[in-house]
Amino acid sequence: MNFRIGLLVFFTSIYTLPLFAQDAVMPTPPISTSTVNTNASSMYISPGRYNASVLPAINFGMGKRLEKAFSSVSGLDNVEANSTDSSVHFSVKNGSKIRTADLQKLVSKIDSGAVMSAPILEHSMAATPGL
């Protein structure tokens, strides 16, 4: 008799536990947003020839505005915006102090919805500025 009651309790608990499993709420950790710049965006870009992607895709007019804005930055030279692959190519002169974050802000001033990737040294695979 005790064995039957034990089996009854066992099987009842097996069938009722999944019903209440959805009621158990796991606490979620608080989400914190940080306004701290990453090292890559706060570092100075070393001299060399770079390219960076701009999204959303740029057209010819936007490319000309990017070229004009980047050319106005002291320390940048040979600025070319390419609308076919939505990229900006530029050279950083020796002794210049230009940060990625400053260039990204410049792009967002030209078009509030546009973003620019981190500049990549042309003919290399280094995605970190300053290498």
Side-chain angles (χ1 to χ4, degrees), residues 14-112:
I14 289 176
Y15 289 113
T16 57
L17 283 178
L19 296 176
F20 297 108
Q22 64 187 356
D23 294 337
V25 177
M26 297 297 292
T28 57
I31 298 172
S32 63
T33 57
S34 175
T35 57
V36 178
N37 287 337
T38 62
N39 288 337
S41 66
S42 62
M43 290 176 54
Y44 291 115
I45 304 171
S46 61
R49 181 81 177 155
Y50 290 87
N51 67 6
S53 297
V54 179
L55 291 174
I58 60 174
N59 59 17
F60 182 77
M62 174 72 172
K64 288 298 178 191
R65 289 195 305 266
L66 283 171
E67 285 179 0
K68 183 178 178 183
F70 274 53
S71 295
S72 69
V73 175
S74 63
L76 291 185
D77 197 17
N78 299 327
V79 179
E80 300 171 9
N82 190 343
S83 60
T84 57
D85 64 354
S86 191
S87 65
V88 178
H89 302 262
F90 56 90
S91 297
V92 177
K93 297 178 185 177
N94 286 330
S96 300
K97 294 196 177 207
I98 300 170
R99 296 183 316 147
T100 300
D102 297 334
L103 295 178
Q104 290 170 335
K105 287 177 188 174
L106 182 64
V107 170
S108 67
K109 283 182 184 177
I110 296 169
D111 184 350
S112 62

